[in-house]
Amino acid sequence: MVSGRSLKATGVEDTAPTRPEPSHALGHRERLRERAKAGGLGALPDYELLELYLFRTLARGDVKPMAKALLARFGSFGATISASIEDLKTVPGIAENAAIDIKLLHEAALRAGRDKIAKRPVISSWTALLSYVRVALANEPREQFRVLFLDNKNQLIADEILNHGTVDHAPVYPREVMRRALELSSSNIILLHNHPSGDPTPSRPDIEMTKQIVEAGRALKINVHDHLVVGRDGVASFKALGLF
């Protein structure tokens, strides 16, 4: 006879009847929640913040080893929430539900950052822009080329990924950048790409490609405000470096 009780999805495959949570595990969860309330979430180390979040997805068991394993596998909190669902699932104990929930953290951070630059001239909100591009690109494992398309008041029309590449190259075609700018009636653009190596220093191909896009834009009266290269070590601005 099949039990009428449905098993709650926890992100970990359930193959045994539900057992009561051990009292020591319940006690640990409550102590961590109390410390978070008393000292604030900002006072928690990265593994405990992940642990507290995983409580919501994984209703039973000790999740501290999973939190520590995630940080060991990806290297940092930012890199963990930026990882793909498939990569997250390579960590023991992290099944699809948990991986999707972790990705929600990254998407929430992206949307919060985008809100800060969406309703004001982007070039007058430079600090917010730099924060946003770090969240979007600093921990990407492959090169990604994207463009912020702005209107004639420098307000954001769209943030679009135009190409994915390998760990050290993302092909970019100036005509595709300009074609999309014309489709969106964009008067100004900011180019973005990341260096998975961590070092944001522009390469010679980066410089040559940027010059081609600037020239293509000049002919169409589309202004390139800047090209930002993002790495774990920081953000490099072509304009600040005098590269165009």
Side-chain angles (χ1 to χ4, degrees):
M1 178 177 174
V2 179
S3 170
R5 181 185 62 192
S6 62
L7 292 175
K8 181 178 179 181
T10 64
V12 177
E13 186 176 347
D14 233 325
T15 57
T18 302
R19 299 184 181 91
E21 185 78 358
S23 59
H24 66 85
L26 286 172
H28 172 69
R29 290 184 176 219
E30 285 310 310
R31 286 192 297 273
L32 183 52
R33 290 188 181 104
E34 287 301 319
R35 284 203 296 112
K37 285 192 291 185
L41 293 174
L44 297 179
D46 288 348
Y47 80 89
E48 287 189 335
L49 192 64
L50 267 178
E51 194 180 350
L52 191 61
Y53 187 72
L54 288 170
F55 289 168
R56 306 178 65 83
T57 309
L58 305 174
R60 298 179 298 130
D62 182 7
V63 298
K64 182 187 292 184
M66 294 178 206
K68 289 188 172 182
L70 284 163
L71 292 171
R73 166 72 171 79
F74 298 107
S76 69
F77 187 89
T80 298
I81 66 173
S82 299
S84 70
I85 289 173
E86 291 307 310
D87 283 345
L88 289 166
K89 286 163 59 179
T90 65
V91 175
I94 301 297
E96 187 143 324
N97 287 350
I100 290 171
D101 281 357
I102 291 168
K103 287 301 298 178
L104 283 175
L105 285 172
H106 187 240
E107 184 61 26
L110 273 178
R111 294 192 186 199
R114 193 180 298 132
D115 283 349
K116 291 181 179 179
I117 64 173
K119 297 177 182 177
R120 64 188 75 177
V122 170
I123 59 173
S124 67
S125 309
W126 207 249
T127 300
L129 174 64
L130 293 180
S131 295
Y132 172 67
V133 301
R134 286 190 189 102
V135 171
L137 288 168
N139 293 294
E140 280 292 317
R142 296 184 299 154
E143 273 207 17
Q144 184 184 110
F145 182 82
R146 60 201 297 164
V147 181
L148 302 182
F149 295 98
L150 313 176
D151 64 17
N152 58 5
K153 295 181 180 178
N154 290 312
Q155 292 186 326
L156 185 66
I157 299 172
D159 168 15
E160 295 189 353
I161 300 170
L162 293 196
N163 219 329
H164 284 97
T166 63
V167 293
D168 61 2
H169 177 64
V172 180
Y173 303 100
R175 65 179 179 273
E176 291 301 316
V177 176
M178 292 303 133
R179 178 187 63 78
R180 189 61 180 141
L182 291 171
E183 288 175 351
L184 293 169
S185 299
S186 174
S187 304
N188 303 286
I189 61 175
I190 296 174
L191 311 176
L192 309 171
H193 87 280
N194 64 305
H195 282 176
S197 68
D199 181 3
T201 304
S203 66
R204 176 55 54 186
D206 292 341
I207 295 168
E208 292 303 318
M209 174 267 294
T210 303
K211 287 180 178 178
Q212 293 173 22
I213 295 176
V214 170
E215 288 301 315
R218 187 172 291 128
L220 296 169
K221 294 184 168 45
I222 296 171
N223 180 49
V224 180
H225 278 312
D226 207 342
H227 184 170
L228 302 177
V229 186
V230 185
R232 291 184 301 278
D233 299 337
V235 180
S237 160
F238 271 56
K239 185 154 284 188
L241 292 170
L243 293 176
F244 72 84

